[in-house]
Amino acid sequence: MQSSEAATLARPALSTNHLLDAPLDELLIELRVELHRSGIKDPGFFGALMRLSDGRLILSMPVGRSAFERDTTARMLLAQGLGLDAPPVPAPLEVSRV
């Protein structure tokens, strides 16, 4: 990877408080997370965070969820995916790693 590519993919340090308090749209821009609409219709699917081989982060979220569900799920997935010390995901939700 070229140094310019590495600099492009570098993300700023993130505190748990900032993750929970910053407006979500601003947070996604700050962390350079690409938001994609998911076509998965399963009511038990709330979203997925993927790290591509080139280091990019993709947050895939289903359409039709409330703003609260979208916001909460995105923050939970980001906390887990970025390895932050955050409260556990509440039951009955689960975060799976593949």
Side-chain angles (χ1 to χ4, degrees):
M1 179 178 291
Q2 301 289 331
S3 61
S4 61
E5 289 176 290
T8 301
L9 296 175
R11 289 182 177 74
L14 179 68
S15 71
T16 303
N17 285 342
H18 185 63
L19 173 84
L20 297 174
D21 294 337
L24 183 59
D25 291 337
E26 291 176 22
L27 188 63
L28 295 177
I29 291 168
E30 175 184 332
L31 296 174
R32 295 185 249 352
V33 175
E34 296 176 34
L35 182 60
H36 290 226
R37 293 181 181 176
S38 171
I40 297 174
K41 304 265 190 242
D42 182 336
F45 175 75
F46 287 85
L49 180 68
M50 297 158 280
R51 184 181 305 270
L52 303 182
S53 59
D54 64 6
R56 289 182 295 146
L57 288 175
I58 307 293
L59 182 60
S60 178
M61 306 288 291
V63 296
R65 300 288 181 161
S66 71
F68 176 78
E69 285 177 322
R70 176 182 174 263
D71 186 274
T72 303
T73 301
R75 292 174 197 276
M76 286 189 299
L77 290 170
L78 287 167
Q80 291 288 321
L82 297 173
L84 296 178
D85 183 26
V89 176
L93 298 177
E94 293 180 23
V95 174
S96 301
R97 293 182 186 262
V98 289

